[in-house]
Amino acid sequence: MSWLLSRYGNRTVTYSNMGQYSGSMGVTLLWILLWISRSGQGLSAEQLSKKIVFLAETNDNNRVTLQVSPAVPKGTAHQWMWTSHDGRHSNTSVAQITSSMNRSPSWNTQAPFSQGTGYDLSMQTKQENAGEFVLMQTKPASAVLARFEVFSFVVKATPNYYGNKVYLGSDVSVLCEVSHIPDGAILQWERDGDSTSNTTLFYNKRAHMIIHTVDQNYQGRSNCSFRLNGQLLSTVYTTLNVQTGTFSNPLIHLFRESSNSSEVKLICRSSSPSSSYRRAEWTVSRSTTSVTLTSSDKVRSDRFSSPSFNGHDFPLHVSPVTFEDSGVFTCFFEQHRFSSVKITTIRVSESGGPPGGQPVVVRCEVSEVSTDPVTLAWMRMEGSRWLLVKQDVLTKSHPNRTLSVTLPSLRSDQLHWQCAVFTEGMLRMTASLTLTLPTQTTMSSMTDDCLWTVVIVGCIAMVVAGVLVGALVFYLKRKKTAVTNLPLTQKNDPVYDNATDPRRDQESQKGQTGEDENEEVHYSEFALGEPRLGDTNRVTARSNQVRIALY
């Protein structure tokens, strides 16, 4: 992999084509003065906003120089002020310059800065030297003459190389870091001018990129671009050269998420397409056991599959990846080991939460931690950038392999989470987790359903109550009417319900000629008391009730 830094900036602004003007000499001189004034303002503005980017290196011989036009400094005393991007220094005087008409400027500098040509300031290309530099005139009057914003670039990559080539089937992780991200700045990895489709992550002034399971399709150039307000300031290029076979590979370590949609492809390939091996197989080792997953005789087993063996290429496809798939996968061509890959699995989960506003716990768990420490970091999306919430460094002796974050209550700005896995400061994989809140529509629907239920139950209850009350009133009214229509002599006489008076029946059958035969007959049933002693005109009932006809 090779790096190349391209710089943009320090441009010279030239004003020309002012036009032709005619008229009196006074008008011509006025236009000349205006042109000089405009040119001077343009030059000053350009000097006050110069931006320089350098690639941070460990070589002490490489330097960067802040160049100042000889015509700019005036006066007899000047100084360079420095505010570092890392916050260690603020408005620190790093160089004092005195001058006169008869001799060259005299410098007094502070390490690691040194005198350049004229009033230029020189420094080593160290990351800690980046910052804002201001050249000031201190005598006879104080004034700002030039201002520079100096950014440092740091580029790193995982050491997955044999010579200058990347191991076939490995994960390549690269990062570029800039010393300061001002408002309006964008730092991102691109491939052929477009944003890469590989795993990318930007946080803490770093842009990370992972190219999973590299092969010849990923050969070529990728670049990390630094833009400010749409203007490209610099680009770091990286070129990938990938091996053609896996035979010389060491143990490759891959991190993969375990989920229903996750998958991994393990490459096992001879560098010579003309190879004609007769048998191939993939095995997995966990603890002390080893199991054959696929072979040239059996190309599919549960979630593990391989294509037909063509004599030189026999990849293994695992889908979906489960948390228990952690282990060492080995490929053999006949009795020769051609590839060995260690997989460490990661899973994310949530628990708790609504209903009732219960706390939510998000968890990120790693299947194992070997010799190299592993850093787990929970990040939450804030705007368009990831905010680090919590991180922990896990070691082989660490009693817990889980990183948890507890949210007392879930809010709308806490829905998008990502667990990032780092080794030696390099991103190895990310696992996303999206939480959900009951929407306003759902809550309104639930409220409306409850309201309709209450209304319907209330209406039914009112109807039933109305029917019962109406029936009771009707019954009481009929009872009162029947008692009122009895003859006065019979109201206190004891009779029995459901009994018939024979003499009255006979009289009724004979009828009374003077009365209307169609007269309606009314009946009423009610309980009466016992008969009085000595009353011989009453009929003893054959039952305990009397039915009386009223005319």
Side-chain angles (χ1 to χ4, degrees):
M1 181 180 288
S2 59
W3 306 103
L4 177 63
L5 176 65
S6 297
R7 297 182 179 88
Y8 302 82
N10 298 342
R11 297 175 174 82
T12 301
V13 176
T14 303
Y15 294 89
S16 60
N17 298 328
M18 293 301 296
Q20 300 292 331
Y21 300 97
S22 58
S24 64
M25 181 63 69
V27 173
T28 303
L29 292 175
L30 178 61
W31 278 111
I32 293 175
L33 291 175
L34 289 175
W35 182 83
I36 295 175
S37 175
R38 182 178 177 183
S39 299
Q41 291 175 0
L43 180 61
S44 177
E46 177 70 12
Q47 291 169 347
L48 292 178
S49 61
K50 286 186 177 181
K51 294 177 173 56
I52 297 177
V53 180
F54 66 84
L55 184 62
E57 298 173 329
T58 58
N59 191 344
D60 294 340
N61 295 326
N62 295 328
R63 308 186 70 85
V64 61
T65 301
L66 311 184
Q67 297 179 348
V68 180
S69 172
V72 171
K74 304 294 182 183
T76 58
H78 304 82
Q79 67 175 349
W80 279 99
M81 304 296 293
W82 172 48
T83 298
S84 63
H85 282 163
D86 59 16
R88 294 182 298 112
H89 301 275
S90 179
N91 292 325
T92 301
S93 178
V94 297
Q96 298 82 36
I97 309 170
T98 57
S99 60
S100 65
M101 298 295 294
N102 300 326
R103 59 186 178 89
S104 300
S106 174
W107 282 68
N108 181 17
T109 60
Q110 307 292 329
F113 304 97
S114 61
Q115 176 184 358
T117 302
Y119 289 82
D120 298 348
L121 182 67
S122 178
M123 72 189 79
Q124 297 175 345
T125 55
K126 302 288 186 180
Q127 183 181 10
E128 59 269 20
N129 293 340
E132 183 182 29
F133 294 83
V134 178
L135 174 61
M136 298 185 61
Q137 173 186 294
T138 57
K139 290 182 180 179
S142 179
V144 174
L145 303 180
R147 191 185 304 271
F148 295 82
E149 185 81 9
V150 180
F151 301 90
S152 68
F153 248 98
V154 176
V155 183
K156 296 181 181 180
T158 51
N160 293 342
Y161 298 93
Y162 180 77
N164 63 344
K165 292 187 176 182
V166 181
Y167 292 126
L168 176 65
S170 65
D171 287 351
V172 174
S173 178
V174 294
L175 74 83
C176 63
E177 177 183 1
V178 68
S179 57
H180 176 58
I181 302 291
D183 293 339
I186 297 176
L187 182 68
Q188 66 179 9
W189 283 98
E190 300 174 345
R191 185 176 178 86
D192 297 329
D194 297 325
S195 297
T196 176
S197 59
N198 297 283
T199 300
T200 58
L201 173 68
F202 174 81
Y203 96 103
N204 194 26
K205 301 179 295 184
R206 293 182 175 183
H208 296 264
M209 180 179 68
I210 307 174
I211 304 176
H212 295 289
T213 315
V214 294
D215 58 16
Q216 277 68 33
N217 293 328
Y218 291 101
Q219 290 195 141
R221 193 180 75 177
S222 298
N223 56 70
C224 182
S225 300
F226 181 42
R227 289 181 170 84
L228 181 60
N229 297 323
Q231 178 186 3
L232 182 62
L233 296 183
S234 65
T235 299
V236 177
Y237 299 93
T238 174
T239 302
L240 288 180
N241 294 312
V242 184
Q243 285 185 310
T244 58
T246 60
F247 181 76
S248 60
N249 285 5
L251 178 65
I252 301 299
H253 194 181
L254 306 180
F255 289 81
R256 290 297 183 270
E257 179 187 4
S258 64
S259 67
N260 294 332
S261 59
S262 61
E263 62 180 358
V264 61
K265 179 183 178 182
L266 308 182
I267 298 178
C268 182
R269 184 182 302 165
S270 171
S271 58
S272 175
S274 60
S275 300
S276 57
Y277 292 94
R278 295 187 299 272
R279 178 175 172 78
E281 69 175 9
W282 276 98
T283 64
V284 60
S285 301
R286 301 185 182 95
S287 298
T288 59
T289 62
S290 180
V291 178
T292 299
L293 300 176
T294 63
S295 66
S296 51
D297 302 325
K298 182 182 178 182
V299 296
R300 179 173 293 274
S301 174
D302 192 20
R303 298 175 293 104
F304 307 95
S305 62
S306 297
S308 298
F309 184 45
N310 60 7
H312 71 277
D313 190 11
F314 194 63
L316 176 66
H317 186 252
V318 184
S319 178
V321 178
T322 67
F323 192 69
E324 292 72 24
D325 285 336
S326 176
V328 177
F329 295 75
T330 306
C331 173
F332 294 93
F333 286 179
E334 296 179 0
Q335 287 78 35
H336 305 285
R337 186 192 67 83
F338 261 74
S339 181
S340 186
V341 181
K342 179 180 179 180
I343 294 182
T344 299
T345 52
I346 307 292
R347 64 182 174 189
V348 293
S349 60
E350 62 171 300
S351 61
Q358 298 297 321
V360 178
V361 180
V362 293
R363 294 181 177 87
C364 181
E365 183 179 2
V366 59
S367 60
E368 66 170 334
V369 178
S370 56
T371 306
D372 297 329
V374 175
T375 300
L376 297 182
W378 268 118
M379 301 180 186
R380 176 172 57 85
M381 178 65 77
E382 187 175 83
S384 60
R385 297 183 179 181
W386 290 102
L387 173 67
L388 178 63
V389 177
K390 185 179 180 180
Q391 70 177 11
D392 194 9
V393 179
L394 310 182
T395 61
K396 190 174 183 179
S397 60
H398 202 285
N400 189 12
R401 301 192 304 270
T402 303
L403 179 66
S404 302
V405 174
T406 301
L407 308 175
S409 60
L410 189 60
R411 304 192 307 266
S412 58
D413 60 343
Q414 298 176 331
L415 301 182
H416 301 286
W417 293 81
Q418 188 167 239
C419 179
V421 182
F422 297 89
T423 59
E424 299 179 352
M426 305 299 294
L427 180 67
R428 302 307 303 271
M429 68 152 294
T430 60
S432 299
L433 180 64
T434 301
L435 307 179
T436 57
L437 277 175
T439 62
Q440 186 66 30
T441 302
T442 303
M443 296 298 293
S444 301
S445 177
M446 293 173 61
T447 303
D448 293 342
D449 291 342
C450 293
L451 180 61
W452 275 110
T453 302
V454 172
V455 170
I456 292 173
V457 172
C459 292
I460 293 175
M462 291 178 62
V463 171
V464 172
V467 171
L468 293 177
V469 171
L472 180 60
V473 171
F474 178 76
Y475 170 75
L476 294 176
K477 183 176 180 181
R478 291 290 303 272
K479 182 176 180 180
K480 181 178 179 182
T481 303
V483 174
T484 305
N485 292 337
L486 283 175
L488 184 60
T489 58
Q490 297 179 6
K491 287 183 180 181
N492 294 324
D493 291 344
V495 297
Y496 296 91
D497 196 15
N498 285 343
T500 304
D501 188 344
R503 289 184 300 177
R504 283 188 174 272
D505 290 343
Q506 294 175 0
E507 293 176 357
S508 297
Q509 292 174 0
K510 291 179 182 180
Q512 298 179 6
T513 56
E515 296 178 356
D516 187 359
E517 293 180 357
N518 296 325
E519 182 180 358
E520 184 180 0
V521 180
H522 299 274
Y523 295 89
S524 179
E525 296 179 3
F526 51 90
L528 300 175
E530 297 180 353
R532 296 190 299 271
L533 294 177
D535 190 348
T536 60
N537 295 325
R538 299 299 176 200
V539 179
T540 301
R542 290 171 296 183
S543 64
N544 293 328
Q545 292 182 341
V546 175
R547 185 178 182 89
I548 300 176
L550 303 177
Y551 300 92

